[in-house]
Amino acid sequence: MTGREEVIDLYRRHVSRGLASLAQIMGSPMEVQSCGSRVVTPDGEELLDCGGYGVFILGHCHPTVVSAVIGQLRRHPLATSYLLEPEVAFTAKALAEVTPPGLEHVRFATSGAEAVEAALKLARANGKKRIIAACGGYHGKTLGALSATPNPLYQAPFEPLLPAETAAYGDTEDLARLLAKGPEACVLVEPVQGEGGVVVPPEGYLTEVARLCREFGALLVVDEIQTGLGRLGEWFGVDREGVVPDMLLVGKGLSGGVVPVAAMVATTEAYLPFDQDPVLHSSTFGGSPLAMAAARAAITTIAAEEIVPRSRRLGAELLAEIDEITSEMRPEPVVEVRGRGLLIGIEMSHPHLAADLALALLERGIIVNHSLNSNSTIRLTPPAVLSDADMSTLFSALSDSLHELDQSDEQQRRNKLHA
């Protein structure tokens, strides 16, 4: 039995039969090492990571982040949660300095879904009992977060949930209709929908959402777990329109690609219930010194290495070249290419083509992601440390993969005609 077969067998017995079957179908290799833009298999094959679900804006194993984490690991990796712990204080300050002005209060978590839970809990503590989410939005799979993730695929087995009311993403008139029902609402929205298939809203959308929330007395929570910290070519997606929400959710890239960490950042007014009662919301591992070392090093590195403007420039180059590569393949097999910064989606004309494209790219050494709420769209969330050679590799692999799919699809159509 090979190492891979043994791992699949252990997955099947102890983790998930479904994941084991999926790995077999996809022919997924194992990943055992990583550095920069590359993930390495046991036999030394290097794969270009354009996936990672938005985590690796700094790439893998960035030396500054790794060094900070190793130093903290040797010094004081976990705290008692009883005494003052300076890493939490300094990391909260660092995060507050890069979020929009007015967002001063930070509550750390281990995952993005936990940050969503904290925001929903704080909204409830502020008297907001209704959740208004956007169709196609994604905010995690914990039970509370599922209430704000309006997808029957995830919700059905767990009813009854506290269901969110849903407004069409990008449609402020639809949102206004729901807000008019009463002032006790919490609006949860993404600047660009990632799992929704990289859906970019109309210009001015967030500005109008914020205005409507003020008009109707609703709390605005912007989920930047995937889009924040440079992913969209801005520190945060809200910066593009100068919007300051009541709460901003941060994750994925905050890890520096090394230690999982997320956060909810709030205004003084919104944060008041948590400020007054320090045990109203707490977590044993939220804000651990090890995670704080990773987060502070990530924030420092993003600033020092000018990751935000680099993400904007690389994203524009990627989007333009991918658009050119796919220009002769629309509306089939490619429907549309869209994105902002280093969050790019390629929508295919059928879900099976999206799956086939992801597999074809993997065979050529490129890792991409599917979109949980849009199974016809594959997602590219590459690191901002991509080299020119990396980009050439991606473009060549994408071109070859798409032509292979196009020829295969054409052959299938011919076979049906002659059957």
Side-chain angles (χ1 to χ4, degrees), residues 40-65:
V40 185
T41 69
D43 60 5
E45 180 187 3
E46 293 189 356
L47 307 176
L48 178 60
D49 187 8
C50 292
Y53 297 97
V55 169
F56 301 102
I57 190 70
L58 293 176
H60 293 263
C61 296
H62 192 287
T64 301
V65 183

Side-chain angles (χ1 to χ4, degrees), residues 120-142:
L120 295 177
K121 188 174 182 179
L122 183 55
R124 177 61 67 90
N126 276 283
K128 308 303 181 183
K129 299 180 180 180
R130 295 167 54 217
I131 304 169
I132 300 178
C135 296
Y138 180 85
H139 306 287
K141 290 182 181 175
T142 53

Side-chain angles (χ1 to χ4, degrees), residues 264-313:
M264 176 200 70
V265 193
T267 63
T268 297
E269 184 178 2
Y271 197 72
L272 189 60
F274 281 8
D275 224 13
Q276 292 176 329
D277 186 347
V279 297
L280 188 61
H281 186 76
S282 60
S283 167
T284 301
F285 295 115
S288 74
L290 204 62
M292 297 299 91
R296 186 143 60 112
I299 294 166
T300 300
T301 303
I302 289 169
E305 298 189 1
E306 299 184 328
I307 293 298
V308 173
R310 181 171 173 79
S311 176
R312 190 183 309 127
R313 178 178 62 79

Side-chain angles (χ1 to χ4, degrees), residues 10 32 52 61 82 92 97 110 118 187 192 207 230 233 240 256 269 290 371 411 413 415:
L10 291 172
V32 296
C61 296
Y82 188 72
E97 286 175 345
T110 305
V187 174
V192 173
T207 300
R240 184 182 177 96
E269 184 178 2
L290 204 62
S371 298
Q411 186 59 52
R413 286 195 292 268
N415 291 341

Side-chain angles (χ1 to χ4, degrees), residues 40-108:
V40 185
T41 69
D43 60 5
E45 180 187 3
E46 293 189 356
L47 307 176
L48 178 60
D49 187 8
C50 292
Y53 297 97
V55 169
F56 301 102
I57 190 70
L58 293 176
H60 293 263
C61 296
H62 192 287
T64 301
V65 183
V66 170
S67 177
V69 169
I70 290 174
Q72 190 65 48
L73 179 64
R74 290 174 174 161
R75 186 169 59 252
H76 185 51
L78 285 177
T80 65
S81 299
Y82 188 72
L83 308 177
L84 284 173
E85 203 291 297
E87 292 303 317
V88 169
F90 289 120
T91 306
K93 177 177 181 288
L95 184 55
E97 286 175 345
V98 298
T99 54
L103 292 166
E104 299 288 343
H105 301 268
V106 182
R107 186 58 61 100
F108 288 106

